[in-house]
Amino acid sequence: MVNSSSLRRPSAALIAASLVAGLISVATAGPATAADLTGDFDSTAVGTAPSGWSVTGAAGDATVQDVPGTVDRSLRLRDASTSAPVTARASFGTTTSTLVAGFRLRAAQTSTTIGVHLDGTGGHNVTVAMGADGRLFTYNGAGRIDLGAYTAGRWYDIRIVADPSSGTADVYIDGSRTARRLAFRTTTKSLSGLQAGVSTAHTGTAWLDDVRTTTESGPQGWPYLGQVGPRPALQIGTSKLLVGAETLDRDYTSHQAFSPYLGKLGATGVRLQGGWAKTEKTKGVYDWTWLDKIVDDARAKGLKPWIQLSYGNKIYSGGGGGGLGGELPSSAEGLKAWDAWVKAMVNRYKDRVTEWEVWNEPNLAGIPVADYTDFYIRTAGLVRAAQPGAVIYGQEAGIDVPYAKDFLTLLSQKGKSELLGGFSYHPYNPNPDDAWTYEQVAKLKALVDQYAPGAVIRQGENGAPSAPGSFGALGDLDWTELSQSKWFLRRVLNDLGRDISTSVFSISDLHYPGKVNSKGLLQTNTDKSIRYAKQSFYAVQALASIFDSSLKPLPGYRWSATPSTSLTVQAFANRTSGRQVVGVWSGAGKPSETNNRTSTDLTFTDGDFPDPVYIDVRTGAIHDIPAANWSVQNGTYTFKGIPVYDSPVLIADRSTVKF
């Protein structure tokens, strides 16, 4: 079910059918922005048409109904006639801005044509449909484009990015871009409505839910070049971007549910929790089946697993706490069993896993630093004995410099600094550009360099909710999918700009007992199945496509701006060509719920952009920068009128971007 508070209220809506039926959309005229359309239909009475939707079809109906076998409520379109369609329809003001439409679509059969269109005054501009031949399809101009087979009774998570200025659209299904730069079906260079329904020639039933549309204003008059091309982890290869898949050890999320999206995101590492208690439910008996599937699936999709050795196990007296804030194993029996599990774990996975982490947030749990240090030495020694080349991380909640210093000092005094391969921290701040945070990060890095030369620091867990009232850090603040997506981009680019590997927490929403942590990139149902990919999924996907290991950060990059108030700038260059990518955004505070842009002049003293483009990472939109808006003299590049706001935009050489 959608977190309705994270979406805008609907204005009106539209569903209509022809041979293929409709879409979901919103429109604006010029700079004016229409109200975003939303529709999870959960508050609509069963058996009624949703407010604002007009319905046609004498031999059928379009009403909100409970979805069989779920606790969900959706718009059902049911057609019993082969002479007339069943449609639902909503109209709104005309827009020439880029429109992003997301919705879920499900067919009860594979023998009926069901469609969703974005419409202009000339008719259907963009179509995504389920055909009577069991195939998903769209159109490139007048030509039908096959998108693969579909299954009856299964929800499909569909996203359309349509740009009227270029008359083109991209289509995404279940997190994958399945078609790009599709020509509009008409010559109309605007969008004005949405249609969905069951076609005239067939009978059948369709379900529609989670309608989400936004209009996105691009730089006025700048040619639209397309969207950043998503690249799966297998194609990217290596990067410093990880994604969190924590709590699988306690079944707060479902690997089976989020797995289809995991590789598509583009992160090349994944953080997992080892789950002693889940593996050893009977003393001395290990069942690795659950973890084998997760580790092997991640590797097959191109992600390198990073496994945390945690938590305790209550089948042993003194076996330690079983979750967040849990105490360390303490009894002789508990510690002996811990040692046995760690050795068995490393021996099982040492051919597939090279990075490990010892416990979770010991300082948050109130574990004395001396106790954590001894426990770290004990555990890391076992890991290194079984796997000499292992990289082992210590860690803490937040950025607790005194705790880290005491840990590193004790480790050094005991002559065990060589056991430390890295140290991870979890900095939760409403403003990901908070200056204090990175001051502490610098102190932490200096301490690691001093006491454990060669070890690295890693941002190991960080995220923001997508709705207010979320469980966990930052849950007391108001959030939406928009502010969440901005937050993730700003955190990750701040880290990458400092050459810090960084993890996005988390892949999907987490269902703790009686409460939900909405920091996931994927919206979930109450049974932990995936409902749809949030805005943040596509934002991080675009970022992952660009910022792979082919780019290196440029510390001390020289720049100036007018106006320059509270700007953050992070610069990168291609390791081979030297061509640059520079991220710019306003970092004044917590990400806002508006996208008001400021026209900004930027100067880069040592730039390298022979063919510069402008990229809004959040939306993935790429625009050419007109010649009138940039110049270069003796290596100094000046860019005029760059739209800047509180989400990262990039000035990048075209060669560094994948379309």
Side-chain angles (χ1 to χ4, degrees), residues 16 30 60 74 141 252 267 380 397 404 461 508 529 567 620 623 635 646:
S74 305
Y252 295 163
E461 178 194 304
S508 73
S529 61
L567 285 189
H623 288 82
D646 63 343

Side-chain angles (χ1 to χ4, degrees), residues 161-322:
V161 181
D163 178 69
S165 70
S166 62
T168 62
D170 289 15
V171 173
Y172 301 73
I173 298 177
D174 294 337
S176 292
R177 186 170 69 174
T178 54
R180 65 180 291 267
R181 300 291 282 174
L182 298 169
F184 277 13
R185 299 177 66 189
T186 78
T187 58
T188 306
K189 292 301 179 72
S190 64
L191 295 167
S192 58
L194 167 146
Q195 248 185 335
V198 182
S199 70
T200 301
H202 302 100
T203 62
T205 300
W207 297 82
L208 180 69
D209 208 350
D210 296 310
V211 180
R212 309 169 314 281
T213 65
T214 58
T215 49
E216 300 286 354
S217 298
Q220 201 163 28
W222 294 15
Y224 174 80
L225 302 177
Q227 293 285 300
V228 174
R231 295 193 297 153
L234 279 171
Q235 185 178 343
I236 290 172
T238 59
S239 71
K240 288 185 177 290
L241 180 63
L242 300 88
V243 65
E246 295 86 351
T247 77
L248 288 165
D249 58 320
R250 285 152 287 158
D251 297 317
Y252 295 163
T253 187
S254 168
H255 170 258
Q256 181 179 355
F258 69 65
S259 173
Y261 289 85
L262 188 60
K264 300 172 185 177
L265 180 66
T268 57
V270 58
R271 182 176 182 241
L272 302 168
Q273 292 176 301
W276 178 20
K278 187 169 182 175
T279 302
E280 187 182 359
K281 296 179 180 179
T282 301
K283 290 184 178 182
V285 179
Y286 303 127
D287 183 355
W288 305 100
T289 306
W290 72 278
L291 191 55
D292 283 347
K293 291 178 182 177
I294 296 166
V295 169
D296 292 344
D297 179 64
R299 285 168 46 82
K301 289 180 166 65
L303 286 86
K304 180 180 178 181
W306 174 36
I307 296 184
Q308 181 184 99
L309 298 168
S310 65
Y311 281 104
N313 195 330
K314 292 297 186 180
I315 67 172
Y316 294 99
S317 177

Side-chain angles (χ1 to χ4, degrees), residues 102 119 137 152 171 199 211 264 300 358 506 509 512 530 557 574 606 648:
D119 286 355
F137 67 94
V171 173
S199 70
V211 180
K264 300 172 185 177
V358 178
S506 64
D509 288 346
Y512 289 79
I530 303 307
Y557 192 75
N574 183 276
D606 297 304

Side-chain angles (χ1 to χ4, degrees), residues 53-66:
W53 295 70
S54 59
V55 175
T56 63
D61 55 51
T63 58
V64 172
Q65 300 289 338
D66 291 325

